């Protein structure tokens, strides 16, 4: 990911997706300045390129920077052990900090930091939590596509939308579809969604196409039977049983 790319990519879903509350809200993200030295910033830029495309000089530069970080971690805590030193030196999650903000569209000039004390209803909290999950996924695939445009773009959601009321299901699915089709980004995300649920079928008008596999089990018979349907946004068709 480029230094400027993550925040702008993250903010795109926040601008286009709002909660179903009477006062629509959206999520925006701020990226704090990196906490590492200039040579590590250079290493981050090198890591964005596939290893096969890096020159020998670039690979050596990357190796030297990472080795220095490991040595710094060892000097800071000699008794921690090698695994801890590697974790401290190489855990890129500590290199950037993102802050989530909730913006009320009725008062766009004001914003609140997303936390347990933001003062939102339970429905709003659930919807915003999905927004916070979906937006980084969109940013990740945007960055990935720069080096691997044909790599799978999978979002896996197990027991999707649990404890969310049915009217909100449609809005959340629309968010996923918007990430796939309507993001104003330079790259086509082409997201592939895999959802599991014991109560949702997925045949909502906002979903343009879907494969549905319904699993049926008779407690008196060994094994599980499956029904395969397709959904085209208007009707469900049985493919095989």
């Amino acid at each position: 990911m480029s230094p400027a790319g993550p925040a702008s990519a993250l903010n795109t879903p926040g601008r286009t997706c709002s909660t179903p509350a009477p006062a629509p809200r959206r999520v925006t993200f701020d990226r704090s300045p990196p906490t590492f030295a200039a040579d590590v910033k250079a290493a981050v830029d090198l890591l964005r390129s596939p290893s096969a495309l890096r020159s020998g000089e670039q690979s050596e530069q990357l190796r030297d920077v990472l080795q220095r970080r490991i040595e710094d971690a060892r000097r800071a805590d000699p008794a921690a052990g090698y695994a801890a030193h590697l974790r401290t030196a190489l855990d890129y999650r500590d290199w950037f900090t993102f802050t989530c903000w909730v913006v009320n569209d009725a008062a766009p000039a004001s914003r609140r930091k997303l936390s347990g004390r933001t003062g939102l209803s339970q429905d709003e909290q659930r919807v915003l939590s999905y927004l916070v999950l979906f937006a980084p996924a969109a940013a990740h695939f945007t960055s990935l596509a720069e080096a691997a445009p044909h790599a799978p773009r999978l979002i896996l959601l197990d027991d999707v939308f649990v404890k969310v009321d049915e009217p909100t299901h449609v809005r959340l699915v629309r968010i996923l579809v918007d990430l796939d089709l309507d993001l104003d980004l330079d790259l086509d995300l082409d997201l592939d969604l895999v959802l599991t649920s014991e109560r949702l079928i997925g045949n909502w008008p906002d979903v343009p196409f879907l494969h549905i596999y319904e699993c049926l089990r008779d407690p008196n018979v060994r094994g599980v039977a499956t029904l395969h349907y397709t959904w085209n946004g208007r009707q469900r068709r049985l493919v095989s049983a």
Side-chain angles (χ1 to χ4, degrees):
M1 249 182 229
S2 63
S8 60
L10 283 169
N11 282 338
T12 302
R15 288 195 299 268
T16 59
C17 303
S18 61
T19 70
R25 306 179 193 277
R26 54 193 169 93
V27 178
T28 62
F29 297 79
D30 283 346
R31 181 177 65 85
S32 300
T35 58
F36 44 77
D39 60 345
V40 181
K41 181 180 182 303
V44 171
D45 293 336
L46 291 172
L47 287 169
R48 296 177 61 235
S49 302
S51 58
L53 300 181
R54 288 196 295 265
S55 67
E57 182 180 353
Q58 290 174 325
S59 296
E60 184 176 353
Q61 179 187 3
L62 177 60
R63 184 167 53 250
D64 290 344
V65 169
L66 297 180
Q67 182 62 40
R68 284 197 296 273
R69 287 188 59 82
I70 296 171
E71 292 172 355
D72 290 343
R74 183 184 297 117
R75 282 193 294 268
D77 189 359
Y82 192 60
H85 295 153
L86 289 178
R87 185 164 52 249
T88 300
L90 306 180
D91 190 349
Y92 60 87
R93 294 172 297 181
D94 293 333
W95 295 355
F96 294 96
T97 300
F98 290 90
T99 303
C100 304
W101 300 90
V102 179
V103 180
N104 188 332
D105 284 348
S110 64
R111 63 179 189 172
R112 292 174 292 168
K113 186 176 180 179
L114 182 60
S115 69
R117 300 180 179 180
T118 308
L120 303 172
S121 69
Q122 289 190 351
D123 283 345
E124 285 182 305
Q125 291 177 26
R126 291 186 183 118
V127 174
L128 289 174
S129 67
Y130 277 108
L131 284 176
V132 172
L133 290 174
F134 296 162
H140 168 71
F141 288 124
T142 300
S143 176
L144 183 65
E146 295 176 8
H150 302 296
R153 293 164 166 81
L154 291 175
I155 290 184
L156 312 179
L157 296 175
D158 185 30
D159 202 7
V160 62
F161 307 152
V162 65
K163 296 183 180 179
V164 175
D165 58 22
E166 291 189 10
T168 307
H169 292 165
V170 178
R171 184 62 63 92
L172 289 171
V173 168
R174 188 178 300 127
I175 291 172
L176 283 172
V177 173
D178 285 345
L179 284 178
D180 191 7
L181 301 177
D182 298 330
L183 285 180
D184 184 19
L185 297 174
D186 294 335
L187 297 169
D188 180 10
L189 295 180
D190 190 22
L191 298 181
D192 299 308
L193 310 175
V194 179
L195 317 177
T196 69
S197 175
E198 63 179 16
R199 30 190 199 104
L200 303 181
I201 296 297
N203 52 337
W204 298 290
D206 292 293
V207 178
F209 187 78
L210 189 68
H211 282 276
I212 303 168
Y213 292 88
E214 184 176 5
C215 298
L216 306 174
R217 181 178 180 275
D218 186 333
N220 298 316
V221 178
R222 297 180 63 183
V224 177
T226 60
L227 298 177
H228 178 197
Y229 302 92
T230 58
W231 168 255
N232 62 6
R234 299 180 303 277
Q235 61 183 16
R236 186 174 61 172
R237 183 177 68 87
L238 179 64
V239 177
S240 63

